[in-house]
Amino acid sequence: MFKASLVRLAALAALSSISVAALACEQLRMEPGGMVTSVTDGDTVILDDGRVVRMIGTQAPKLPLDRPDFDPWPLAPEAKAALEALALNKPVRLGFGGESVDRYGRVLAHVFIDGPDGQIWAQQAMIGLGLARVYSFPDNRACLDLLFAAEGRARLGRLGIWADPYYSIRAADQPGDLLARAGQYELVEGRVLLAEKTGGRVYLNFGRFWKEDFTAVIEAPALRIFAEAGLDPLVLENALVRIRGWVDDRDGPRIEVTHPEQIEVLATR
């Protein structure tokens, strides 16, 4: 019953925008994928030819998967069950918009599930259910606009992970709370107090004490991607932004920004 309801919910979330998704993702190189024979977690499936497909553009709650001393993230079993309900024993097509294989040998692809009512874009469906969030890479940035839109709707509706404090959006002006989340992937909101370029990198400072307050750092390789996109991160001074990425602790909590899609501008003043 649980899986059946997830299928219906996922279909409703995805089918309403199938034509839009197809239009927005025209740049993808499409290939037959075969049949999904198993689901590892909420963002990874295995095909009948043995290929492991990491659903690029999303991050679902993580399961231990034989990692010692790894606590499952909240709603990780539910995310796996939802993807099983959507994709298990179904034929799929794969869409490629960047690097196609990662260092672990997994296929990096958008997954489109063939069903009686048309194709369901697995990434969009999982994000729309609130059982995954947008997670992008500098070498794989296709189709993110629709995924961000789906995430926004799920967050406003407090669906899935967005009703759990573990996944709350963090405040940039609470560096102590962010330090406690070091090593975690977080969404952080705040106003950029100062944007400055020093030594070939850009710092977005969210407080006056740069050795203690939250900072977003954009290194030289990422700055080249910003320039290619016609974007200047220095104009973000005084802007209200949401930054997503892995929190580390180097002179206070910080996130390294490797590509523009990690920054959402909420207000310019």
Side-chain angles (χ1 to χ4, degrees):
M1 186 70 177
F2 173 66
K3 288 189 177 182
S5 64
L6 282 171
V7 169
R8 287 194 291 272
L9 285 171
L12 288 173
L15 288 175
S16 62
S17 57
I18 282 177
S19 60
V20 178
L23 179 63
C25 296
E26 281 183 338
Q27 73 269 35
L28 295 180
R29 175 173 55 84
M30 300 299 297
E31 293 183 4
M35 193 76 68
V36 174
T37 57
S38 63
V39 173
T40 304
D41 55 22
D43 54 36
T44 309
V45 301
I46 300 176
L47 304 179
D48 54 359
D49 61 5
R51 286 182 295 172
V52 178
V53 180
R54 173 65 170 86
M55 289 165 44
I56 199 68
T58 63
Q59 181 197 61
K62 293 183 179 296
L63 289 165
L65 300 178
D66 298 324
R67 287 173 288 193
D69 302 319
F70 185 97
D71 294 325
W73 294 7
L75 294 177
E78 290 84 350
K80 179 183 178 182
L83 188 54
E84 285 177 334
L86 277 172
L88 188 60
N89 299 321
K90 304 272 182 62
V92 297
R93 289 176 59 78
L94 304 180
F96 298 93
E99 288 295 316
S100 59
V101 180
D102 69 8
R103 59 180 174 171
Y104 305 108
R106 299 177 301 182
V107 175
L108 303 174
H110 292 268
V111 175
F112 295 86
I113 304 158
D114 291 327
D117 298 310
Q119 284 191 333
I120 294 175
W121 183 11
Q123 277 92 327
Q124 188 185 55
M126 290 295 291
I127 289 173
L129 288 168
L131 292 174
R133 52 189 169 181
V134 178
Y135 181 50
S136 56
F137 295 85
D139 57 7
N140 233 314
R141 298 157 57 204
C143 309
L144 293 176
D145 51 349
L146 283 171
L147 297 184
F148 277 118
E151 181 186 277
R153 291 190 295 270
R155 192 164 55 243
L156 285 173
R158 294 183 58 78
L159 301 179
I161 63 174
W162 304 113
D164 191 304
Y166 185 89
Y167 302 98
S168 294
I169 294 177
R170 312 298 170 183
D173 61 359
Q174 299 294 321
D177 292 344
L178 288 172
L179 278 178
R181 302 294 292 175
Q184 299 293 324
Y185 188 83
E186 300 291 341
L187 277 63
V188 182
E189 280 187 13
R191 193 169 295 277
V192 178
L193 180 67
L194 176 67
E196 61 177 351
K197 187 172 185 179
T198 304
R201 58 178 63 90
V202 166
Y203 296 93
L204 304 179
N205 296 298
F206 290 79
R208 299 186 182 279
F209 304 102
W210 60 270
K211 285 198 171 184
E212 301 175 9
D213 291 318
F214 174 65
T215 305
V217 182
I218 310 174
E219 300 282 358
L223 288 175
R224 288 193 287 272
I225 297 175
F226 275 79
E228 290 167 3
L231 301 171
D232 180 4
L234 294 177
V235 306
L236 294 175
E237 188 165 305
N238 295 318
L240 180 66
V241 301
R242 179 186 302 129
I243 295 179
R244 66 185 65 214
W246 295 93
V247 177
D248 62 39
D249 178 9
R250 299 185 192 178
D251 293 325
R254 66 166 215 165
I255 287 176
E256 182 179 348
V257 174
T258 62
H259 55 291
E261 288 80 3
Q262 283 178 261
I263 303 175
E264 299 170 78
V265 180
L266 307 178
T268 55
R269 288 292 183 270

